[in-house]
Amino acid sequence: MDSENGKSRLEKTQHEVEEVKVIMLDNMNKAEERSGKLNELEDRADLLLEESKKFEKTSTQVKTKKRWENKKMKVVLIAVAVVAGLIILSLIIVAIVQSTKGSD
């Protein structure tokens, strides 16, 4: 009976070892899967960082370009206003000169 009991305990232990082995293999597979997903996530994060740097550079260039366009537009508007003012002023002066000549 002792040897039968010993065999039974040995079989039980072997069964438990098999269960542990299955669990360990499953855990190793899951760890490998996670590692792959983490690597993929890291690659995507690197790509996103690279794209954000490109976007920052482009947005800075666009900002600078728009700033110059706005300054150019202000200069053109000021020039047009000055020319219009000079034309109006010269017309007023001509009208005043003609009215003083006409009244003499």
Side-chain angles (χ1 to χ4, degrees), residues 60-86:
T60 302
Q61 290 172 342
V62 168
K63 181 180 172 184
T64 303
K65 181 181 176 185
K66 288 297 178 185
R67 186 180 295 139
W68 277 110
E69 285 177 5
N70 286 341
K71 285 184 180 183
K72 287 178 188 176
M73 186 59 71
K74 284 180 184 178
V75 168
V76 167
L77 289 176
I78 289 171
V80 167
V82 168
V83 169
L86 289 175

Side-chain angles (χ1 to χ4, degrees), residues 86-102:
L86 289 175
I87 291 172
I88 291 172
L89 186 62
S90 64
L91 289 174
I92 291 172
I93 291 172
V94 167
I96 291 173
V97 169
Q98 285 182 350
S99 70
T100 54
K101 280 187 181 177

Side-chain angles (χ1 to χ4, degrees), residues 3-27:
S3 80
E4 204 175 290
N5 194 14
K7 266 188 175 179
S8 173
R9 285 177 51 188
L10 179 61
E11 287 174 357
K12 183 179 176 187
T13 305
Q14 285 176 338
H15 181 69
E16 288 174 355
V17 166
E18 278 300 313
E19 285 180 3
V20 169
K21 182 180 166 186
V22 168
I23 291 170
M24 294 277 291
L25 287 174
D26 188 46
N27 286 342

Side-chain angles (χ1 to χ4, degrees), residues 52 54-65:
S52 70
K54 286 180 188 176
F55 176 78
E56 183 180 11
K57 183 178 178 183
T58 303
S59 65
T60 302
Q61 290 172 342
V62 168
K63 181 180 172 184
T64 303
K65 181 181 176 185

